Amino acid sequence: MTENVEDTKEDEAGAGEGGARGAAESAPEKYENFTFPEGVEADAKLMEGFLPAAKEANLTQETAQKFLDLQIAGAQAAAEANTKAWESTVEGWKKSTADDKDIGGDKLKENEDLGKKALNALGTPELSKILDDYGFREHIEFVRFLAEVGRAIGDDTQDVGRDGPAGEKDAAATMFPDQN
């Protein structure tokens, strides 16, 4: 029973930094601006939820900052892990495309060139940027599709037609050939 009484006394007095129950260490009326690492901006909606919760928990400015710092570090670590996972996925696509018996190997350069031809003829710079930014240009199905489109487009040749009949025609004969 002595432990419970001491625990209660300690709870009432507050215990060290972050105890936040003592009068000297309580939540401020209004939190000052928090500091964020370079390139990180406060999310207004998240702060709308955090500030009342920090106030309710009676967190000091310092303790609230520590919680924000932990959250930011966690979010940055998660973002980095997601980026690495995506890069690994794109590298896997690249390898499977290069190893494919129909598209890759010694045929890869030809198929990539056909894909570039298709994008240049029918795509936009924005589409090319998306394919590059997200790594889709490495995916075997995009390579296969774009190569087929490139083949369907064919060579860039101009059909100049055949020579017309000899002699000159007047404008009326040219415009109305069946009215002779």
Side-chain angles (χ1 to χ4, degrees), residues 90 93-94 97 108 112 115-117 119-120 124-144 146:
V90 172
W93 292 347
K94 189 174 187 176
T97 299
L108 184 61
E112 287 176 337
K116 286 177 188 173
K117 177 180 173 181
L119 280 173
N120 289 338
T124 62
E126 291 80 11
L127 176 60
S128 288
K129 183 172 178 2
I130 288 168
L131 293 176
D132 289 336
D133 287 352
Y134 294 100
F136 293 132
R137 195 182 294 261
E138 305 297 342
H139 195 285
I140 190 169
E141 293 306 321
F142 273 101
V143 174
R144 187 184 322 273
L146 291 173

Side-chain angles (χ1 to χ4, degrees), residues 29-62:
E29 278 300 311
K30 182 178 188 251
Y31 287 102
E32 299 297 319
N33 290 336
F34 292 97
T35 58
F36 295 89
E38 187 174 330
V40 175
E41 291 185 28
D43 182 298
K45 284 226 179 254
L46 290 176
M47 292 304 287
E48 282 177 23
F50 174 73
L51 292 174
K55 187 92 166 148
E56 183 180 324
N58 205 23
L59 299 180
T60 64
Q61 179 79 30
E62 281 182 10

